[in-house]
Amino acid sequence: MSITSAIVLYAVLWFLTFLIVIPIRLQTQGDVGEVVPGTHAGAPHNHNLRKKAKITFALAAVMWVILWWIITYEIITVRDFDWMDRLPPVSGETDG
């Protein structure tokens, strides 16, 4: 895996994880009962983004290490998903 692929994989994992972590334990203004005039009742009252970003960093790092290991040591390859045998044979690989 090249360095660019590793960075892109981590960025994708980070953003996907962040979008999942953001709504966890979110307190809206409507829940608290203190709706600021001009805002929606569903607007966050206390979002704790710094804590959620740290949690996201740790979760994404763990997932990245697992995926890096799977990709680097070829535990799962693209050929494992070639159910219709459309990929050409690898050089040195014999048919049958």
Side-chain angles (χ1 to χ4, degrees), residues 59-71:
L59 289 174
V62 168
M63 288 187 291
W64 183 86
V65 167
I66 292 168
L67 288 173
W68 173 84
W69 180 70
I70 289 171
I71 293 168

Side-chain angles (χ1 to χ4, degrees), residues 89-96:
V90 179
S91 60
E93 184 179 285
T94 59
D95 291 336

Side-chain angles (χ1 to χ4, degrees), residues 31-65:
D31 293 340
V32 177
E34 299 175 7
V35 179
V36 177
T39 62
H40 192 273
H45 178 263
N46 188 6
H47 47 71
N48 297 321
L49 279 181
R50 182 167 296 177
K51 182 179 178 182
K52 291 179 181 183
K54 289 177 184 178
I55 291 169
T56 300
F57 175 79
L59 289 174
V62 168
M63 288 187 291
W64 183 86
V65 167

